[in-house]
Amino acid sequence: MHAFVTPPGRQGLLHHWDQQMAVIAQIAGIKRWRLWRPMFPFPMREYQESFRVWDPGFIPRWEAMGPDLEVDLRPGQSLLLPRGWVHHPHALDSEVRSIHLTFAIRERTPVWVAEKLIGQVIEKDSFRRIILPGDLGGHRLSQHVRDVRQALVDHLAGLDVDDFAQALHRAAVSEKEYTT
C-alpha cells in the first residue's frame, strides 16, 4: 500500500502506467483520474515498464486524443485500476489537499508459475555445476544449453503436478511482494 498526498489543485504523478493492478481508495479531497487504455498489453517487471519504454511523444498524443475514461473520486470512493492503464490524476479542490491510498494487488501470472517450476531445480546438483568460462561461447555453450534444456524437460516430466499445485497455492497466499 502507498499513500499519496497531493496539494490543493495540484498534479500528483505525471502520466504513467503501473505494472500491477491496484485499488485506489480516496480518503480526502477530490481527485480526477484521467485514464487511457494500455499501450502495451500486460506490462510487468522488466517487460514494458513505463520508465523503460518511455517516449516523450506519449503525453502530447494522449492529450490530443483525450482520455478513454475520466473519473472524479470523492472521499470514501474507490477505483479499480488494471495494470497498464495510463493515468494522470490531479487534485480538483483548490483549498483541500487530496489523499488517496493505492493498494497494489498481487497478481499471479504464467511467468510466476514458470519461475516457481524452474526454482525447484536448485535442489539438483546438475543445475548447480559451474559452466567454465571457456565454455561460454560457440559450440560448447550450445551444447550446455541443449543439456540444460533436456535436464529441465526431464525435471518437469517427473513433476507431481498436484503436489506442486498445492505448494504453489501456499506460495500465492503467503508471499508478501507482488511479482507481476
Side-chain angles (χ1 to χ4, degrees), residues 11-117:
Q11 172 67 48
L13 296 174
L14 296 177
H15 298 74
H16 69 285
W17 61 87
D18 299 319
Q19 288 65 245
Q20 71 279 334
M21 180 187 308
V23 173
I24 311 301
Q26 190 69 25
I27 304 301
I30 302 170
K31 185 164 276 180
R32 176 163 292 157
W33 290 78
R34 300 180 75 215
L35 306 167
W36 289 263
R37 294 184 191 288
M39 294 183 60
F40 303 100
F42 312 117
M44 60 182 287
R45 285 184 262 168
E46 295 84 29
Y47 180 75
Q48 309 295 359
E49 290 175 303
S50 58
F51 73 90
R52 290 180 191 270
V53 297
W54 191 257
D55 179 322
F58 286 165
I59 293 175
R61 279 184 290 202
W62 291 324
E63 289 299 325
M65 292 183 324
D68 291 302
L69 182 64
E70 201 167 81
V71 177
D72 291 347
L73 281 187
R74 289 171 168 66
Q77 293 181 322
S78 61
L79 170 69
L80 177 65
L81 184 61
R83 76 179 138 125
W85 276 72
V86 176
H87 47 286
H88 178 244
H90 61 277
L92 289 183
D93 238 325
S94 61
E95 296 181 16
V96 179
R97 69 178 173 225
S98 168
I99 301 172
H100 79 267
L101 304 177
T102 298
F103 296 87
I105 306 297
R106 288 179 281 173
E107 294 177 287
R108 303 305 182 203
T109 64
V111 169
W112 176 76
V113 174
E115 289 170 343
K116 295 297 185 188
L117 284 166

